[in-house]
Amino acid sequence: MKEGTKRLYLESPYKVEFKAQVVEKVIWEQKPALILDQTCFYPKSGGQPCDKGTINEVEVLKVLEDEARIIHLLAEDISSDKVTGKIEWQTRFDHMQQHSGQHILSQSFHELLGAETLSFHLGEAISSVEMDLRKISEEEVENVERRANEIVFQDREIKCYFIPEEKIESVPLRRPPKKKGLIRVVEVSDFDFSACGGTHVRR
């Protein structure tokens, strides 16, 4: 298996600039692309879109996962083997807020209606969360919205940490993790515990 890219955003989602070494240059989807030893760029994964930004001032068109590696598709080729990446903060922070909000909303549905989240999608104009509900009343929607807003306005801390797979049963996860090995948990303090690899706000 090829060596993976170190994902700096897992530990430091507020970090917007980084330096890296080019591991490999490839053509991906007919575009020049880089595989770096480390990156702050979040790749498109699950329902969260990829980050925007630049590498050595060249626009990053798309960021994708290829097993453990992260592929950065570029607007033009870069000759240097040492690069500086910059994340477009406005887009990153929007995704962080939306993703944390989705966790709170999903747990509110689970707590009040016993509903599971089937999928979610974060968009620039419209975001969606698919729940396993055949029907829902207007009153139930209002109750879920009220509960989610309560948690938001309580300004609860949101923590991200890693738990070994053999100890994950000690964490009250909302749903079982899809991955094996070291599991990343996103906790909305005393409210929601989810296995998640996305970027989130601190509160």
Side-chain angles (χ1 to χ4, degrees):
M1 180 181 292
K2 295 181 179 179
E3 187 174 349
T5 307
K6 183 178 181 181
R7 303 172 186 231
L8 301 174
Y9 59 82
L10 291 176
E11 298 286 352
S12 305
Y14 286 83
K15 185 179 179 69
V16 294
E17 185 170 334
F18 68 99
K19 296 187 182 298
Q21 181 74 35
V22 176
V23 173
E24 187 177 353
K25 296 180 181 181
V26 297
I27 299 297
W28 203 275
E29 297 182 1
Q30 300 181 324
K31 296 290 184 182
L34 297 179
I35 299 166
L36 308 176
D37 64 337
Q38 60 180 11
T39 186
C40 281
F41 279 92
Y42 181 85
K44 181 180 179 181
S45 180
Q48 182 173 336
C50 66
D51 283 323
K52 297 178 181 180
T54 62
I55 294 178
N56 281 13
E57 306 302 327
V58 174
E59 182 185 3
V60 175
L61 302 175
K62 191 184 294 186
V63 189
L64 303 171
E65 284 185 299
D66 178 42
E67 296 182 348
R69 306 186 305 167
I70 294 180
I71 315 294
H72 307 76
L73 279 67
L74 305 173
E76 59 185 75
D77 196 14
I78 291 176
S79 59
S80 177
D81 288 332
K82 294 183 178 180
V83 298
T84 298
K86 296 180 181 179
I87 305 297
E88 184 189 293
W89 172 245
Q90 184 174 353
T91 299
R92 159 66 69 83
F93 192 56
D94 177 56
H95 293 166
M96 290 165 65
Q97 288 179 309
Q98 287 199 62
H99 202 158
S100 297
Q102 177 265 313
H103 279 218
I104 291 171
L105 184 61
S106 289
Q107 175 59 14
S108 297
F109 269 104
H110 183 74
E111 179 183 84
L112 297 180
L113 303 177
E116 297 293 340
T117 298
L118 301 178
S119 67
F120 76 97
H121 173 74
L122 307 183
E124 293 184 10
I126 297 176
S127 297
S128 62
V129 182
E130 181 185 5
M131 311 301 300
D132 66 341
L133 290 170
R134 288 177 176 263
K135 61 180 181 178
I136 185 170
S137 69
E138 186 173 332
E139 181 181 3
E140 288 172 326
V141 170
E142 290 175 353
N143 289 339
V144 169
E145 181 181 5
R146 186 180 302 110
R147 178 57 171 154
N149 283 333
E150 283 178 0
I151 299 300
V152 170
F153 286 115
Q154 286 170 6
D155 194 30
R156 298 197 184 198
E157 182 182 10
I158 298 177
K159 299 177 286 187
C160 301
Y161 47 87
F162 291 89
I163 299 288
E165 181 184 357
E166 60 271 18
K167 295 183 179 180
I168 198 64
E169 290 186 0
S170 66
V171 180
L173 293 179
R174 177 161 31 92
R175 57 192 302 180
K178 296 179 180 179
K179 295 187 177 182
K180 303 290 185 180
L182 203 58
I183 309 297
R184 183 171 182 258
V185 176
V186 175
E187 175 189 345
V188 180
S189 185
D190 296 324
F191 181 68
D192 182 55
F193 298 79
S194 295
C196 178
T199 55
H200 291 269
V201 293
R202 295 190 182 111
R203 318 188 72 86

